[in-house]
Amino acid sequence: MNAKTKRNLIKASLYACCLLVLVITGFPFIFLLINSFKDMQEYLKNIWQLPTKFFFGNYQAVFKPDFLRYFVNSTLVSAVSVFLIVLTSSMISFAFAKMKFKGSSVLYFLIIAGMMIPIHTTLIPTFTLLSSIHLNDSLAGLCGPYISYNIPISVFILTQFFKEIPKEIEEAAIIDGCTTVGVFHRIILPLSGAGLSTVTVYTFLNIWNEFTYANVLINTTSKKTLPLGIREFYGFQSVNIPAVLTAILVGSLPVILLYFCASEKVVNGLTQGAVKG
């Protein structure tokens, strides 16, 4: 076997592995799509076969005004929380990565130590605190815990990215008259697109799918988020499974769309530093 044939075999094996991974990772989405066009009776007959007749009742149930309100609430909470997380974490990370001050290492450790605290162990204190300041049962009150519990991992990721930016670029900007705020805004943030995209996708996914805090803090129906709205398809004695699958399918589209829009930068962010050159 010559070298060219060997290279072709290796390449074909890699393509086969990639195809296998694609099938495995894409199967849940295909499963949701197929069963979203079935009614309950056809779903119970065979969950694996294609629908014999397309049933659109599940989509009619999902796109009712109540469910759309849940969708808007989740979008609002996720967008506001992610924006504030990225803004706050980037400023904190800039201070740790580019500024030298006494106690910075201790303070950095205290912040990232928050990653080791299971967030649900703080559910009762958080509920008590929000009740005392009259922010329970509100979307604004729900944003607070989401922001605070995602800042540690965001600071950890962004600090590493900011440290990779050469100091020579900052020094050149300062010589040209750029202030510290200008360095952060004009130099650091534009060069950290991969890190910012990684934090955005990661935190958005966490907040979009969060159920426990929303279930405890939100009581009013009009203020419920999407995970709570999907629960509405569960009856006391039965569950409309195709409708639940359709709601999950529709609810996953924003996350999938966000990832595809930022996928290149996210992949670059995950692999940055692996290759020097």
Side-chain angles (χ1 to χ4, degrees):
M1 183 182 297
N2 55 41
K4 184 177 180 181
T5 303
K6 187 178 297 184
R7 286 196 302 270
N8 289 336
L9 286 176
I10 295 174
K11 188 179 295 185
S13 300
L14 291 175
Y15 282 136
C17 291
C18 292
L19 182 62
L20 179 62
V21 172
L22 176 64
V23 171
I24 294 174
T25 56
F27 175 76
F29 185 82
I30 298 174
F31 178 82
L32 293 175
L33 183 63
I34 291 175
N35 287 287
S36 67
F37 292 103
K38 297 179 182 179
D39 57 17
M40 189 63 179
Q41 183 177 2
E42 185 176 4
Y43 174 83
L44 293 176
K45 286 182 179 179
N46 192 336
I47 64 175
W48 305 111
Q49 70 178 8
L50 294 174
T52 55
K53 182 179 180 181
F54 286 97
F55 176 72
F56 294 96
N58 299 321
Y59 287 94
Q60 293 175 355
V62 166
F63 287 106
K64 285 182 177 179
D66 288 342
F67 190 84
L68 290 178
R69 188 184 300 114
Y70 304 147
F71 193 91
V72 171
N73 290 342
S74 277
T75 303
L76 181 62
V77 170
S78 300
V80 172
S81 299
V82 170
F83 173 77
L84 293 176
I85 288 168
V86 173
L87 178 64
T88 305
S89 300
S90 60
M91 291 189 290
I92 296 173
S93 300
F94 175 73
F96 285 133
K98 300 301 181 180
M99 297 180 180
K100 301 298 182 181
F101 55 93
K102 188 176 181 179
S104 60
S105 300
V106 176
L107 186 58
Y108 176 72
F109 174 78
L110 290 176
I111 291 177
I112 66 172
M115 294 189 297
M116 297 183 289
I117 302 175
I119 64 172
H120 298 120
T121 61
T122 61
L123 183 59
I124 295 177
T126 301
F127 177 80
T128 304
L129 174 62
L130 292 177
S131 298
S132 65
I133 59 178
H134 307 291
L135 278 179
N136 61 317
D137 196 24
S138 68
L139 297 180
L142 192 59
C143 289
Y146 290 166
I147 294 170
S148 60
Y149 296 141
N150 281 283
I151 281 180
I153 181 64
S154 302
V155 169
F156 176 75
I157 294 173
L158 291 179
T159 300
Q160 306 309 313
F161 273 93
F162 291 172
K163 286 182 177 179
E164 294 293 327
I165 299 176
K167 291 184 178 180
E168 291 77 9
I169 299 178
E170 306 165 45
E171 294 171 352
I174 293 173
I175 292 174
D176 290 338
C178 198
T179 63
T180 302
V181 176
V183 170
F184 172 70
H185 177 68
R186 298 168 183 259
I187 306 298
I188 300 299
L189 292 184
L191 293 177
S192 303
L196 296 174
S197 298
T198 302
V199 169
T200 298
V201 173
Y202 178 81
T203 54
F204 184 88
L205 181 61
N206 283 344
I207 296 170
W208 185 265
N209 292 327
E210 205 284 324
F211 176 83
T212 306
Y213 264 89
N215 188 40
V216 172
L217 298 178
I218 301 297
N219 297 318
T220 306
T221 301
S222 61
K223 298 177 182 178
K224 289 183 177 181
T225 56
L226 191 61
L228 300 182
I230 294 176
R231 191 183 180 186
E232 299 293 326
F233 291 101
Y234 288 79
F236 287 103
Q237 296 181 343
S238 63
V239 179
N240 188 349
I241 300 178
V244 172
L245 297 179
T246 305
I248 295 174
L249 174 65
V250 173
S252 65
L253 292 179
V255 178
I256 296 174
L257 180 62
L258 177 64
Y259 179 78
F260 276 120
C261 292
S263 59
E264 183 177 354
K265 289 187 176 180
V266 170
V267 172
N268 290 338
L270 294 175
T271 58
Q272 184 168 335
V275 178
K276 298 292 183 180

